[in-house]
Amino acid sequence: MAAKTATGVLGTGALVRAAAGVSALALTGQLALVAAIPILTRLYSPEDFGIFTIYLSIVNILGAIAGLRFSTSLYVVEDRPHALVAVKLTLLAICVTTCVVLTAGYLLSDLLPKRLQHLAYLVPIGMAAVGVADTMNCWCLRFNHIGDFGMGRLILPATMALLQVGFGLAHFGGDAMVGAHILSQAVLVAFLSARLLRWEDIRRIAQASWGSVAATARREYKFPLFELPSAFAGFAIINLPAIFIGSLFGTAFAGHFGVAVRLVAGPVTLVALPLSNVFVAEASKGFDRRHLLGTACGLLVVAAGLIALPVLGLGLISPHVVGPLLGPSWMPAGQIMAALALMCAAQALSTPIQEVPTLFRRQELRLLVDLVRALLVFAPLLIGAHLGHDPLQVIYMMAAGGATGYALGIAVALFLLNGPDGEWKSRAPTDQTEPER
């Protein structure tokens, strides 16, 4: 990575404080989501939660790959004109993949259980919304809109919680949980678009030539080639277990798993992710690895104190408090939370530096790490279920494998940060001649 002169740049301590501030906004949003759970468990049944969990798991996986990972190329574009071309390429990819998923859902809907058939049409909508929101978040990080990004981390979960509670009180039915997710993503996209894009930006995105879009796609081929399967593996580790658990142990048990994930893994992901995003924003300025290594170590300390240790504590007490809090029928959710706590703590430490391979254009290494982690998660899950082990035992084995995989990711990221400097910025062709503003 080529070192650049730091002009008016915050030191590592200030960056860590900024990251902690963004995480605090995300934590506030998650607290709203968690505070709503005792109400939601009385408005919706475990089966309703199970269906929503299956929907959300599918959407999280497909939404992460909807743009064929061209959105992450925004981290390494040279300037704003190149970024506008990359945005057009990403939106085109989202349109194509959404149409493919919609067509597949239409053709395969008859094969789904009747209670899940409507998801064939709702999943593509949610997928497209997540893909566009991810693109806007990448723009925030590339052009240092950390405050707007942090507000998005607050707006998304808070809006979904309010909508789910409101729809439940209005007796709209269990499917209203899905509708609330889609609407909350739309609110996030509207907020970020209004904050980040000018009418001139929208015009230049629309007018970007197809030649420049194709040139950008050729230049950034590593993102769909390596980042796409890597992202699929990474998000599958987090989301596929719910789908497998629903198919292996029933929709109601998937509902318990979904509540446990919302209480443990959801906050970890959304609170730890801003730490990664602040690291990406700093790396996009082109500093040398010594500076980035210091930043990474500071973020790891924040992640340990702010997320990992509290999650481990939550895992210890959850079997004793979930029943009185949510009702006796939700006791399995507390036991699942205890099982997930170790994996989530390791995930919290890994997340702040998860984009290091991408930033240094080592997508193939990230793919390898994610595939190994996927194997460590799914092998215990599938083998345990095949051997007839108790569902909770299976989840404990899965969590231990996941924690090992996240530890491997931390080791690889720190190894790369200790390596020699090298060039990493993208200089893809563009037909935009105006200077960066």
Side-chain angles (χ1 to χ4, degrees):
M1 182 181 290
K4 293 183 181 181
T5 303
T7 305
V9 177
L10 297 176
T12 299
L15 285 169
V16 171
R17 288 192 295 272
V22 175
S23 288
L25 287 171
L27 180 60
T28 303
Q30 282 301 303
L31 288 176
L33 202 58
V34 170
I37 288 180
I39 302 173
L40 295 174
T41 54
R42 290 165 172 81
L43 295 174
Y44 302 98
S45 69
E47 185 178 2
D48 292 333
F49 266 95
I51 293 172
F52 174 68
T53 299
I54 292 171
Y55 156 83
L56 189 60
S57 298
I58 297 172
V59 164
N60 284 342
I61 295 171
L62 296 180
I65 62 176
L68 302 180
R69 301 306 289 173
F70 283 121
S71 59
T72 53
S73 70
L74 286 168
Y75 295 156
V76 294
V77 293
E78 180 66 17
D79 51 28
R80 195 180 187 94
H82 289 88
L84 294 172
V85 177
V87 168
K88 182 167 185 174
L89 172 62
T90 305
L91 295 178
L92 175 64
I94 291 172
C95 290
V96 171
T97 55
T98 300
C99 290
V100 170
V101 171
L102 181 61
T103 302
Y106 173 77
L107 296 176
L108 300 175
S109 60
D110 291 339
L111 302 178
L112 299 174
K114 186 175 181 180
R115 187 70 177 88
L116 300 178
Q117 287 182 353
H118 65 293
L119 296 185
Y121 306 99
L122 293 175
V123 163
I125 300 174
M127 165 190 169
V130 171
V132 175
D134 178 64
T135 304
M136 301 306 298
N137 284 327
C138 291
W139 182 282
C140 281
L141 302 175
R142 172 60 182 88
F143 294 105
N144 205 29
H145 295 279
I146 300 299
D148 293 323
F149 176 84
M151 285 301 300
R153 298 298 89 190
L154 169 64
I155 289 171
L156 179 62
T159 302
M160 186 169 71
L162 289 173
L163 289 173
Q164 287 182 338
V165 170
F167 291 165
L169 292 173
H171 303 290
F172 285 173
D175 294 339
M177 298 187 78
V178 174
H181 173 264
I182 293 173
L183 288 176
S184 65
Q185 292 288 341
V187 170
L188 174 63
V189 170
F191 168 76
L192 292 178
S193 298
R195 294 288 298 173
L196 304 179
L197 297 178
R198 305 183 294 264
W199 283 112
E200 176 66 14
D201 293 324
I202 297 173
R203 183 185 67 81
R204 292 170 68 184
I205 291 172
Q207 294 180 353
S209 71
W210 293 112
S212 63
V213 171
T216 301
R218 288 193 299 269
R219 170 72 180 184
E220 305 298 354
Y221 74 94
K222 278 192 174 184
F223 288 93
L225 182 62
F226 294 116
E227 275 277 318
L228 190 62
S230 176
F232 180 83
F235 279 85
I237 291 169
I238 300 171
N239 296 283
L240 270 184
I243 300 173
F244 286 163
I245 287 170
S247 62
L248 293 171
F249 306 119
T251 306
F253 198 83
H256 291 295
F257 185 85
V259 169
V261 168
R262 180 175 282 201
L263 288 169
V264 181
V268 166
T269 301
L270 291 181
V271 177
L273 189 58
L275 301 180
S276 170
N277 300 141
V278 170
F279 181 84
V280 168
E282 182 66 9
S284 295
K285 300 172 184 176
F287 298 117
D288 61 34
R289 296 192 193 207
R290 176 175 295 182
H291 174 80
L292 293 179
L293 182 60
T295 301
C297 291
L299 294 178
L300 288 175
V301 171
V302 172
L306 187 64
I307 312 169
L309 292 178
V311 163
L312 291 174
L314 179 61
L316 289 175
I317 66 173
S318 57
H320 308 289
V321 301
V322 167
L325 181 64
L326 304 184
S329 63
W330 290 93
M331 276 294 296
Q335 297 170 318
I336 295 171
M337 288 172 62
L340 294 177
L342 178 62
M343 182 174 72
C344 291
Q347 180 188 355
L349 294 176
S350 173
T351 299
I353 52 178
Q354 66 181 356
E355 296 292 348
V356 168
T358 298
L359 291 168
F360 292 107
R361 295 187 175 275
R362 296 298 303 275
Q363 291 93 334
E364 67 281 0
L365 184 57
R366 178 172 181 174
L367 173 60
L368 178 61
V369 171
D370 285 338
L371 290 177
V372 171
R373 186 163 62 237
L375 178 64
L376 292 172
V377 167
F378 292 117
L381 177 62
L382 297 177
I383 293 173
H386 177 72
L387 295 177
H389 290 309
D390 180 79
L392 286 174
Q393 292 179 334
V394 172
I395 292 174
Y396 270 106
M397 292 187 294
M398 178 195 76
T404 304
Y406 284 116
L408 175 63
I410 295 171
V412 168
L414 293 177
F415 171 78
L416 289 175
L417 286 170
N418 276 289
D421 291 340
E423 182 65 27
W424 64 287
K425 281 285 186 181
S426 168
R427 297 181 181 275
T430 176
D431 60 350
Q432 307 292 336
T433 57
E434 297 181 37
E436 180 180 357
R437 288 185 280 181

